[in-house]
Amino acid sequence: MDCLAGLGWFILLVAVVNIEAQNKPPIKINSKCLGNLLRVDVSRLGGRFLEVSVVINNSSIILKPSLSSKCGFTIKKDHLGNAVIYASVQNCFAQNVDDKAFTTKLGLRLQSDNVVEDEFYLVEETCYYSSWASREIICKPNYMEVSVKKAAPTDYNLPAYPDSDPRKAAEQPMDAGFRITTVVFFTPEERVMQVDEAQRNGYGISSTPTRLVLRSPNPSRETYTKDVAGVPMTVLSTSIIFEKTKLTTQLYAGAACPQAQGGVYFTETSIRWFLPRRIDPLIYSKHFRLLEVNMGVDGRKLEATEMSARNYSLTLDDLYVIVEIPIGAAGCQIKSHAQDGQYFTSYMIELMLELLWTEDDTNEDTRYKVFLPVETPLQLQPPQVIDATVPKEMMFKALIGPVGFDVMLKNISSPSEVLSLADCIARGFKVFDQMSPNGCSKVYIVEVPFTDRVVGQRKEMGVTIYNLHLTFGFLVLPKHAPFTATAYLRAKLEDIAPPSAAPPSVSGSCDDKNFYVLVKYGTKGFNFQTIMGKRVLTGSLAQQYGLMGNDTHFSLIVPFSAADAMVEAVESSSIKSRLDVTLRYPKTNKNIQDFSLACNFVTKLIECFPNGTITAMAITLESVPSLNPRRLTLRNPACGPTYSNDQYAYFVFTANSCGTTRKFLPNMMLYENEISITDELELRKLAQSKEPEFDLKVFCYYDINTNQAMGFNTRPRRSEPYDARGEMQVEMRVALDDSYSVFHRVEDDPITKYLQQPLYFEVELMGSYNPKVSIELAYCWATLEEDKMSLPRWDLIVNGCANSRDPHPVIFHSVLPKGRVNDPSNVKRFEVPMFAFAEDKDNLNRQVFVHCEVVICDVRNPVDAACQKLAVSDDPGFKSVTSGPIIIMSP
């Protein structure tokens, strides 16, 4: 109870208890001991204000932020109306029995504008914790706590400041007669405070029978920042002075905690957290051994099986403990945002790492527990609308989502009316939601009868066609920010079904990348063909689309960019693609069912990068079927696509090239270009076909009056630079197989390969015997001519990675120090299973050349990613190599 000194005030508990508040569901309270912490979850607050206090002898003390950080409490409330309270078992108000049992009493007061009387709940929990390490450190967002073991009680005189490891003082004996008098802070300069002054400044200091507890706000004036292996950490370093008549002793107490978001990196699909494996401000011995590493979420340790089920990853290297979790995995919390009528989400999770290490010089162990709340940047996530209608049920069924739990469906509108949810239910609509499989989001399901007046219908060739156009109005709580999602649903139903036979049928749905097609065989005896787009579904095409089935049906998965899908419309951030599926009697060529599925797929067609690079993708539209994307250019006809095929053309250029114009606007700069057909012969063909002219405008806006804050930390150089002269030679060869033991000789050129045979390439830095030098493959591509700048060009490796657009990407092979290879860092190997132009029949039985641009790197500085971030292709550090000609023969 020492840390109560200096508070000087109490608040008497005089509120009237009213547990069953009017018109509010009862809250749910759950408490759990998690080692040296107590966690209390309070849910279903429903907009009520929660006030947390500690209860002592019929009195309560409200936990304000300053008192919480001083006494070891963390109170966190989320956007869903839930609260989480963490309490250190050694908090200021805990009843401590022999440093083994700790009892904490909390008062929870709920206040509401609609209720006269407050609700009050008392939570009392005893946590049993005896497996203390010599030193235990807790890092929470609002405080740092260190608990240090004291020595056995025997008088012993000690010099004021030891010259060696300051923790050696803990080995000196101390009895109950000693009292804390002084705190020496090292910031890193020495700053001395009396204990009462330190408590007034927000520090919690207490002494139990066997331990010293020091708690500091995070950060405080007496802490300082230190870079530890590239991660900024807040450091607290103190020496606590104990005095007794003519005797003085001291204990060292310190902590070091990563700063908010320190060591955290985001990709589009995952979160990565790097925690230094050796935290230097806390380690004084050269003989450091890491004994245990545990990962957890929300304060709870996870077993290996649960981590695997959630696709969490926990790894160690020489410098870091590395945590990687997929965005959207179980254990998450989705926070919704609406901006300009669009739906965005961020992913929130509270990660925990617990390390246990020992230092052989001191025979002491340290348990280090750090909590890190993480929230990802906003990502655009427009809700997908999936048509799950089964026409024979006479009911449209739409799935809308996923959305966060903080999203509410407010109304549903058609072109003629707006309906509240109550109106929808009264009209016979079914509206409900269900949790997504990952438990982080939900999906709304809306069912509308064919007979409702919002459903349009028309008769055609013995079938009735039903159409439904709905707009779903959503609100993001609690700010009630609006956004919408639109559904266009269509169904066909035969007016008269065969009396004793069920014909084949087709249905489908979409997600963010694919069409999903389900074809039911119907009654046995029906012989039918399936037409995907304009092609008959053959066995090979079905396998390409992942055919699965049984005696009653088969299913296909068709990417939205497949050749059989038609692009109907293109917007700045999405593509509306349609897949037509027809079931047909082969004898009469009469269609059994015509099915069309159109969905919006989010994709970036135009990207503007801060360095002035612009990328744009032009896609063939259904309205311009004779357009050849390979003939598209920018304003400068010399600027053709970087990659193209029958469906799209991909352009990469800079803001000062290819005819890009610049326009000054208030506070921003506008760069404009356009993609079109400039070849006169192609223009004449398009004019004769009476198709609309293709013209894609490319816009990029750059702020010109924006100030950006940049933070950086300095560190000493890890290694001295090389001092060498000369030119390094790089050679590329083709191996006979994946053993890379025998290679084609120069006198064997040209090399002849069949189309299905893989090619094995090796790139080596010649004459190098330095393992600290490595080569990296920046770009590799194939051309039909020896000139590496010639077109057409097929990209194999892009910016160090396999070309993600290639259906048969290259395979990288590891290199081991074996045989002729002494330094694996000087050699790179990759395999080309099948060239990207395998389906281009005009280029079969032709020779090709493979080119690579190689960058030479210093592998001694992995933290600065010297060999991970590759320079641009015109960097003088690049080396170019070419292999060929290689004759590709069709089998």
Side-chain angles (χ1 to χ4, degrees):
M1 304 294 289
D2 294 351
C3 62
L4 287 176
L7 291 177
W9 50 270
F10 292 91
I11 297 177
L12 293 179
L13 178 60
V14 295
V16 178
V17 176
N18 177 19
I19 296 180
E20 293 298 332
Q22 298 177 2
N23 299 323
K24 292 287 185 179
I27 66 172
K28 183 179 180 181
I29 302 174
N30 181 51
S31 60
K32 187 174 184 179
C33 298
L34 302 170
N36 54 8
L37 286 169
L38 166 66
R39 175 184 169 117
V40 180
D41 291 275
V42 185
S43 56
R44 303 176 185 171
L45 293 176
R48 289 167 286 190
F49 174 75
L50 174 66
E51 180 184 86
V52 183
S53 60
V54 290
V55 178
I56 301 178
N57 299 326
N58 296 325
S59 299
S60 81
I61 302 174
I62 299 175
L63 286 175
K64 295 185 177 180
S66 58
L67 183 61
S68 296
S69 60
K70 178 178 181 179
C71 287
F73 293 90
T74 302
I75 303 172
K76 182 178 67 173
K77 301 174 185 177
D78 65 23
H79 60 290
L80 299 176
N82 305 312
V84 179
I85 306 163
Y86 285 100
S88 168
V89 297
Q90 293 186 297
N91 67 79
C92 300
F93 308 100
Q95 298 178 16
N96 183 344
V97 179
D98 299 329
D99 283 333
K100 295 180 180 179
F102 306 87
T103 302
T104 301
K105 294 182 181 180
L106 295 177
L108 309 179
R109 184 184 304 278
L110 272 67
Q111 301 172 348
S112 175
D113 295 336
N114 301 324
V115 179
V116 176
E117 298 176 345
D118 294 344
E119 300 175 58
F120 184 81
Y121 299 86
L122 179 64
V123 179
E124 180 175 347
E125 185 72 54
T126 299
C127 293
Y128 298 91
Y129 186 68
S130 58
S131 58
W132 291 100
S134 303
R135 176 176 58 174
E136 302 220 352
I137 297 172
I138 298 175
C139 296
K140 295 290 289 182
N142 63 323
Y143 73 86
M144 301 185 294
E145 177 184 292
V146 55
S147 174
V148 184
K149 179 187 69 175
K150 296 195 302 188
T154 307
D155 291 346
Y156 192 92
N157 197 9
L158 184 72
Y161 298 100
D163 295 329
S164 60
D165 185 346
R167 292 173 300 146
K168 292 289 187 180
E171 299 178 1
Q172 307 301 337
M174 183 184 304
D175 64 19
F178 282 94
R179 63 184 181 87
I180 304 173
T181 60
T182 309
V183 183
V184 181
F185 294 92
F186 304 97
T187 64
E189 294 80 11
E190 187 176 301
R191 184 177 300 172
V192 181
M193 289 187 192
Q194 296 301 309
V195 65
D196 56 347
E197 179 186 0
Q199 290 176 335
R200 286 195 302 272
N201 287 339
Y203 293 94
I205 307 170
S206 62
S207 180
T208 72
T210 64
R211 305 190 71 81
L212 166 71
V213 181
L214 172 65
R215 200 174 293 108
S216 166
N218 186 11
S220 68
R221 289 187 353 185
E222 283 70 43
T223 58
Y224 63 95
T225 298
K226 184 174 182 179
D227 184 284
V228 180
V231 176
M233 304 192 79
T234 301
V235 180
L236 171 70
S237 180
T238 72
S239 183
I240 311 296
I241 308 299
F242 293 77
E243 292 185 1
K244 183 181 178 181
T245 305
K246 296 183 181 181
L247 293 175
T248 299
T249 187
Q250 67 178 2
L251 286 177
Y252 170 79
C257 298
Q259 296 181 356
Q261 303 291 330
V264 178
Y265 301 90
F266 303 106
T267 69
E268 290 186 358
T269 58
S270 66
I271 300 170
R272 302 187 76 192
W273 176 21
F274 292 78
L275 180 70
R277 179 172 181 164
R278 178 186 173 100
I279 304 174
D280 293 334
L282 303 177
I283 298 172
Y284 293 87
S285 169
K286 295 182 180 179
H287 303 288
F288 161 82
R289 286 191 301 130
L290 188 58
L291 304 178
E292 293 181 14
V293 178
N294 292 290
M295 175 193 171
V297 173
D298 296 331
R300 183 176 67 87
K301 293 182 185 178
L302 300 179
E303 299 295 333
T305 53
E306 187 173 1
M307 290 174 55
S308 176
R310 296 186 178 193
N311 290 322
Y312 292 179
S313 169
L314 176 63
T315 57
L316 288 82
D317 62 16
D318 293 340
L319 291 176
Y320 302 102
V321 178
I322 305 169
V323 173
E324 183 169 8
I325 61 174
I327 293 178
C332 65
Q333 191 176 85
I334 299 294
K335 186 175 182 181
S336 301
H337 310 262
Q339 298 179 3
D340 299 327
Q342 292 184 300
Y343 181 59
F344 295 81
T345 61
S346 59
Y347 172 81
M348 303 169 64
I349 192 168
E350 185 179 50
L351 299 175
M352 182 193 78
L353 275 176
E354 183 181 274
L355 279 60
L356 179 67
W357 70 75
T358 185
E359 300 174 57
D360 294 341
D361 289 354
T362 61
N363 294 318
E364 292 184 342
D365 56 350
T366 297
R367 179 172 285 108
Y368 179 84
K369 184 181 292 186
V370 55
F371 290 75
L372 188 74
V374 177
E375 181 172 356
T376 65
L378 294 186
Q379 289 185 322
L380 179 63
Q381 297 285 353
Q384 298 293 309
V385 177
I386 299 176
D387 186 354
T389 302
V390 179
K392 67 179 181 180
E393 296 178 357
M394 297 294 291
M395 182 87 68
F396 278 111
K397 183 177 181 180
L399 282 65
I400 310 100
V403 295
F405 293 115
D406 53 351
V407 169
M408 178 184 72
L409 180 59
K410 178 67 174 177
N411 55 47
I412 301 175
S413 60
S414 69
S416 59
E417 58 185 327
V418 178
L419 301 174
S420 67
L421 293 190
D423 295 333
C424 292
I425 301 302
R427 288 264 288 269
F429 293 15
K430 292 183 180 179
V431 182
F432 55 96
D433 60 47
Q434 66 182 24
M435 185 182 296
S436 299
N438 62 4
C440 300
S441 57
K442 63 183 178 182
V443 174
Y444 277 96
I445 300 174
V446 177
E447 296 181 358
V448 181
F450 283 0
T451 55
D452 192 271
R453 62 175 178 264
V454 298
V455 178
Q457 57 178 285
R458 72 177 190 274
K459 293 188 178 294
E460 180 180 291
M461 300 287 292
V463 298
T464 301
I465 300 175
Y466 298 91
N467 296 283
L468 181 61
H469 176 196
L470 295 178
T471 299
F472 303 95
F474 294 96
L475 295 177
V476 175
L477 304 177
K479 296 183 178 180
H480 291 82
F483 68 94
T484 62
T486 302
Y488 297 91
L489 307 180
R490 186 169 180 262
K492 293 182 179 181
L493 191 63
E494 290 188 8
D495 293 337
I496 301 175
S500 60
S505 63
V506 57
S507 60
S509 62
C510 307
D511 62 8
D512 57 341
K513 294 180 180 179
N514 302 301
F515 296 100
Y516 294 86
V517 178
L518 177 67
V519 177
K520 296 182 179 180
Y521 295 127
T523 304
K524 290 184 179 181
F526 276 98
N527 182 24
F528 65 93
Q529 288 179 330
T530 303
I531 293 90
M532 307 291 292
K534 297 180 180 179
R535 294 192 293 175
V536 174
L537 183 66
T538 61
S540 60
L541 183 59
Q543 292 299 325
Q544 181 181 336
Y545 289 152
L547 173 70
M548 295 183 67
N550 56 27
D551 293 339
T552 62
H553 68 275
F554 68 86
S555 63
L556 304 169
I557 302 175
V558 182
F560 78 91
S561 57
D564 294 310
M566 301 299 296
V567 177
E568 292 186 341
V570 174
E571 298 179 359
S572 59
S573 60
S574 67
I575 294 173
K576 185 176 183 181
S577 182
R578 190 187 77 247
L579 179 65
D580 296 330
V581 182
T582 301
L583 305 183
R584 177 184 299 169
Y585 288 117
K587 290 184 178 181
T588 62
N589 283 333
K590 181 180 179 181
N591 292 346
I592 304 172
Q593 183 181 356
D594 294 316
F595 176 77
S596 292
L597 181 61
C599 299
N600 290 315
F601 299 91
V602 177
T603 184
K604 294 180 179 179
L605 299 179
I606 299 172
E607 290 190 84
C608 308
F609 296 89
N611 66 354
T613 300
I614 301 172
T615 64
M617 182 182 295
I619 299 177
T620 302
L621 296 175
E622 183 181 22
S623 57
V624 194
S626 61
L627 177 68
N628 184 356
R630 297 180 178 85
R631 299 295 184 182
L632 292 170
T633 70
L634 294 164
R635 282 178 179 161
N636 185 343
C639 295
T642 305
Y643 178 82
S644 61
N645 59 19
D646 292 335
Q647 294 176 270
Y648 65 86
Y650 184 69
F651 294 83
V652 180
F653 59 102
T654 57
N656 60 353
S657 67
C658 296
T660 307
T661 59
R662 180 177 60 182
K663 183 185 295 184
F664 288 91
L665 301 174
N667 298 321
M668 64 177 56
M669 188 92 70
L670 170 62
Y671 289 88
E672 297 179 274
N673 209 316
E674 59 184 330
I675 299 173
S676 62
I677 293 291
T678 57
D679 184 84
E680 293 185 1
L681 179 60
E682 290 291 326
L683 287 173
R684 290 196 198 100
K685 291 181 180 178
L686 290 175
Q688 293 174 357
S689 65
K690 297 182 181 180
E691 294 177 2
E693 184 177 350
F694 183 91
D695 190 9
L696 175 63
K697 302 292 185 183
V698 181
F699 298 92
C700 280
Y701 293 87
Y702 290 89
D703 293 337
I704 58 177
N705 292 323
T706 299
N707 294 325
Q708 298 288 343
M710 297 181 63
F712 66 94
N713 292 295
T714 61
R715 63 164 178 77
R717 177 184 292 160
R718 288 190 174 87
S719 60
E720 294 301 319
Y722 290 126
D723 184 10
R725 295 177 179 273
E727 181 164 343
M728 294 184 174
Q729 299 295 327
V730 179
E731 180 180 279
M732 180 162 65
R733 298 183 295 176
V734 180
L736 293 181
D737 54 38
D738 59 2
S739 68
Y740 290 90
S741 56
V742 181
F743 295 86
H744 289 281
R745 298 174 300 176
V746 175
E747 53 267 27
D748 294 335
D749 288 345
I751 301 169
T752 300
K753 290 282 184 178
Y754 286 101
L755 188 61
Q756 302 296 334
Q757 288 183 299
L759 290 169
Y760 303 96
F761 292 92
E762 178 180 277
V763 181
E764 182 178 3
L765 181 60
M766 306 301 294
S768 173
Y769 304 98
N770 193 337
K772 297 180 180 179
V773 174
S774 75
I775 59 171
E776 301 296 331
L777 301 176
Y779 300 91
C780 293
W781 66 98
T783 61
L784 298 179
E785 300 177 11
E786 188 171 6
D787 181 6
K788 66 180 182 180
M789 303 303 293
S790 63
L791 295 175
R793 160 179 171 153
W794 294 270
D795 289 327
L796 304 174
I797 297 175
V798 180
N799 201 18
C801 300
N803 180 12
S804 59
R805 298 180 181 276
D806 192 339
H808 305 282
V810 302
I811 301 170
F812 292 97
H813 290 281
S814 59
V815 183
L816 300 176
K818 182 179 178 182
R820 60 183 178 81
V821 178
N822 294 319
D823 300 312
S825 62
N826 294 171
V827 179
K828 288 291 178 290
R829 293 170 176 169
F830 64 96
E831 172 187 341
V832 181
M834 181 181 294
F835 281 96
F837 48 80
E839 297 181 2
D840 190 348
K841 297 180 180 178
D842 294 336
N843 290 322
L844 296 180
N845 301 332
R846 294 284 298 274
Q847 66 179 15
V848 298
F849 295 83
V850 176
H851 316 271
C852 284
E853 287 188 342
V854 180
V855 64
I856 300 172
C857 301
D858 182 351
V859 301
R860 297 175 301 172
N861 199 0
V863 175
D864 293 338
C867 293
Q868 296 173 12
K869 291 188 176 180
L870 302 175
V872 295
S873 60
D874 58 356
D875 190 295
F878 273 75
K879 298 286 185 181
S880 296
V881 290
T882 297
S883 179
I886 302 170
I887 304 298
I888 305 298
M889 303 289 292
S890 60

